[in-house]
Amino acid sequence: MARHDVDGWIEAAARRLARTTSRRGFLGRAGTLLFGAASLPLLPVARASAQTNAAREPAAPESGDATACDYWRYCSIDGFLAACCGGTQTACPPGTEMSRVTWIGTCRNPVDGKDYIVSYNDCCGSSFCGRCFCNRNEGDRPVYLAGKSNDINWCMGTTTTAYSSTVAIVLGVATES
């Protein structure tokens, strides 16, 4: 392709762009594009998938048996404990997938006397575990307050809706009572 042909094509494209757009419109679209590109790293999906639960979980002093229903993290749990099914209190058993949607509770840690916000994630992907069933409903709300209700199968958004067990992940210290 000759240099003259490229120059003519670029000139024609520039003139067409100048006829169909204004400077204000161009600057508005450019600003929107830049703002949108700058906000992509702020999406929670990018951060959540990049870390393991252990790396995200704040340090809370531990005591007690993670396979017992009276373990402090399980104050609002309703389901089979992942710690009894081949996982831990923060990791799903092998062959299962952690749900992305959860319910939350606020539990008091007897070691330091602080209240912690705990996320209860269902482990999905195999049939239910059937061991260490716990149903503690402290702070449970009706189903119409879904984020605080433990009576829902939270395996939505996973490859299968088959429920296996539940983990309890500490999200942080509660600042209000």
Side-chain angles (χ1 to χ4, degrees), residues 76-80 103 133-137 150-151 163 166:
S76 295
I77 202 163
D78 182 3
F80 300 103
W103 75 95
F133 179 75
C134 294
N135 188 14
R136 294 179 59 190
N137 294 313
N150 63 9
D151 295 325
Y163 168 77
T166 305

Side-chain angles (χ1 to χ4, degrees), residues 83-153:
C84 293
C85 303
T88 67
Q89 70 266 25
T90 60
C92 287
T96 62
E97 174 184 7
M98 188 177 297
S99 64
R100 302 268 189 253
V101 289
T102 70
W103 75 95
I104 59 168
T106 304
C107 302
R108 182 172 296 271
N109 186 337
V111 175
D112 63 2
K114 293 180 181 177
D115 290 329
Y116 288 86
I117 300 169
V118 180
S119 171
Y120 298 99
N121 298 63
D122 283 345
C123 299
C124 314
S126 66
S127 61
F128 67 92
C129 167
R131 288 180 290 199
C132 300
F133 179 75
C134 294
N135 188 14
R136 294 179 59 190
N137 294 313
E138 298 169 28
D140 186 28
R141 298 291 187 259
V143 175
Y144 58 82
L145 293 174
K148 295 187 178 189
S149 176
N150 63 9
D151 295 325
I152 297 173
N153 180 353

